Amino acid sequence: MADTTSFRNGFTMVIGSELWQIVRFQHVKPGKGGAFVRTTLKNVRTGRVVDRTFRAGEKVTEARVERRAHQFLYEDSLGLHFMNMENYVQFAMPADHVAGREYLKEGGIIDILFHADNEEALLAEMPRSVELEVVESDPGLKGDTTTGATKPATLEGGAVVSVPLFISEGDVIRVNTSTGDYITRVSSQ
């Protein structure tokens, strides 16, 4: 058992029968009355986000969640297939458990959260940025770097992002997976 003094971003706890992870928290000590902790919690299995307030010192059941690197192998009717990078064990995960699936390419590395008590795969998390090849885009305009104009480009994972006019098919670009924004060109063809 842990209490509210153990709270930190990423702390995972059991409430009811669900696993919740702290996204944000704030200790509040009003001038009158008892202290409390205001939190924003994310359901690890469903991704649902809720706000919840705990009394200072309130006991909660801590859940052990482990983050392990896995390589994406392929997708079929069973879901997305991954391989553990340490022991080479493979398993399938439903596609809806992978947030940012459109930024995942074969051979890409992704972190998967596991409930340490029963080894259940909970959720897959993309890295903050990925490097993907542009597979479809209008022809690039050489030297057009100052106007700030953009055009749509389809990446190898299936995502469509807005890129500067000088990006062309075959270029490798870095993309922010949480916002879907173009960051920079890594290499050109």
Side-chain angles (χ1 to χ4, degrees), residues 72-172:
F72 173 59
L73 300 175
Y74 61 93
E75 181 176 7
D76 65 7
S77 60
L78 297 175
L80 304 175
H81 292 262
F82 296 96
M83 178 180 65
N84 186 316
M85 298 298 291
E86 293 175 7
N87 59 16
Y88 307 109
V89 173
Q90 297 180 18
F91 75 98
M93 186 175 209
D96 61 342
H97 284 64
V98 181
R101 160 65 184 102
E102 64 273 11
Y103 300 109
L104 192 59
K105 66 178 182 178
E106 289 186 12
I109 304 298
I110 189 170
D111 285 340
I112 299 180
L113 299 178
F114 285 87
H115 191 273
D117 296 338
N118 59 10
E119 290 299 314
E120 174 189 5
L122 301 170
L123 188 68
E125 291 183 343
M126 293 294 296
R128 290 181 192 250
S129 64
V130 292
E131 296 177 1
L132 298 170
E133 182 179 344
V134 176
V135 294
E136 184 180 326
S137 178
D138 294 334
L141 298 175
K142 193 170 194 153
D144 194 356
T145 61
T146 60
T147 63
T150 61
K151 63 182 180 178
T154 304
L155 306 179
E156 62 185 305
V160 177
V161 298
S162 293
V163 297
L165 297 176
F166 61 86
I167 299 294
S168 59
E169 290 182 13
D171 289 353
V172 176

Side-chain angles (χ1 to χ4, degrees), residues 28 50 142:
V28 179
V50 298
K142 193 170 194 153

